[in-house]
Amino acid sequence: MSATPGAERPILVVAAGQTVEELSRAEGDFPDWIAHGLGDGVPLRHADAREAPDYPDPRTLGGVVVSGSHAMVSDRAPWSEHLAGWLKDCVAAELPVLGICFGHQLLAHALGGEVDRLPEGPEVGTREVRLGPEAGDDALLGALPARFPAQLIHYQSVRRLPAGAVPLARSDIESHQAFRVGRRAWGVQFHPEFSATAMRGYLERLKGELGEEAARRLDEVGPTPQAAQVLRRFAEVVRAG
């Protein structure tokens, strides 16, 4: 299939998992939230990574977004490794890539980084993300304020970035909240697609596991409009070709 101008090619939204049933019934699922964040009029395709699809030639796409998941990258599930191999091809083809949470970790793993559990335990709730100096002229994050709130829920972390990756952001316990590799591939550990409602839903489920910590984080949940801009900015990068 011949390549067409970037503005005419779709963004492939890859679902690496699904949200909890209660949220899905009321709020939709990860691909719905991502599509909303990308904005109206963005041509989309969808794939479920757990069905191990035959992914398209990167040259036929405008970009790809990989969602979060309740799976763990370190489990090396066959479907996850298959997706990792394809992401490596996408980066080599200079296709715009955005990995979110699990997708962020999988992108790092695909390119030779290291992913493992957070030693401090899970990072959850509406937390502050801080941009590093390297983010100043970044096409995805450069327009964001130096500090902004973001929704977070992750048990694993990119413990070591791939060779040549540029660190872009951090939080109190996560050194790699965002990175860029190559010209147009990004991973963000935070969730630009999450609403405050989604974050509250996860924290309610974590009360039995985290106890008072979950209750405290529930009280702190709030809107994250700056983090949400990441998806809209990614759509603009794709349109720019």
Side-chain angles (χ1 to χ4, degrees):
M1 185 182 296
S2 60
T4 54
E8 299 177 8
R9 294 179 301 202
I11 294 174
L12 180 66
V13 178
V14 180
Q18 61 192 92
T19 189
V20 295
E21 186 176 352
E22 308 92 280
L23 277 174
S24 181
R25 287 197 303 265
E27 302 288 327
D29 215 327
F30 296 147
D32 305 306
W33 305 347
I34 290 169
H36 176 74
L38 290 169
D40 296 334
V42 178
L44 300 176
R45 289 176 62 182
H46 295 274
D48 188 331
R50 297 159 299 173
E51 296 177 355
D54 184 13
Y55 293 105
D57 185 329
R59 294 173 297 177
T60 67
L61 299 172
V64 60
V65 181
V66 180
S67 81
S69 177
H70 299 166
M72 299 294 172
V73 169
S74 61
D75 288 343
R76 307 289 190 265
W79 64 263
S80 177
E81 292 295 281
H82 178 48
L83 176 55
W86 182 71
L87 285 176
K88 187 175 181 179
D89 293 340
C90 290
V91 174
E94 297 192 343
L95 179 72
V97 172
L98 176 61
I100 298 171
C101 195
F102 176 92
H104 156 88
Q105 296 165 14
L106 189 67
L107 178 63
H109 164 64
L111 300 173
E114 179 184 345
V115 176
D116 207 341
R117 296 190 77 85
L118 269 170
E120 300 87 346
E123 184 180 35
V124 298
T126 307
R127 312 288 285 268
E128 183 182 77
V129 171
R130 301 185 293 276
L131 297 182
E134 300 89 346
D137 60 354
D138 183 72
L140 195 67
L141 301 182
L144 297 184
R147 296 168 178 256
F148 58 90
Q151 313 295 4
L152 284 157
I153 176 167
H154 65 115
Y155 289 73
Q156 296 204 322
S157 166
V158 176
R159 309 307 296 163
R160 177 175 53 80
L161 288 174
V166 179
L168 298 174
R170 63 182 301 125
S171 60
D172 285 342
I173 67 171
E174 174 56 68
S175 298
H176 303 131
Q177 276 292 339
F179 71 91
R180 184 183 69 246
V181 64
R183 293 198 308 116
R184 300 195 296 175
W186 292 270
V188 293
Q189 182 61 68
F190 60 89
H191 284 277
E193 81 284 18
F194 267 32
S195 65
T197 299
M199 190 72 258
R200 289 190 188 98
Y202 273 97
L203 286 167
E204 288 285 354
R205 286 178 62 89
L206 288 171
K207 280 183 176 178
E209 176 186 342
L210 299 181
E212 291 183 3
E213 171 73 2
R216 182 167 66 87
R217 293 299 176 188
L218 264 168
D219 290 340
E220 297 171 352
V221 170
T224 55
Q226 296 91 355
Q229 291 176 25
V230 168
L231 283 163
R232 191 64 59 94
R233 288 289 303 151
F234 184 74
E236 292 172 0
V237 168
V238 171
R239 288 192 189 100

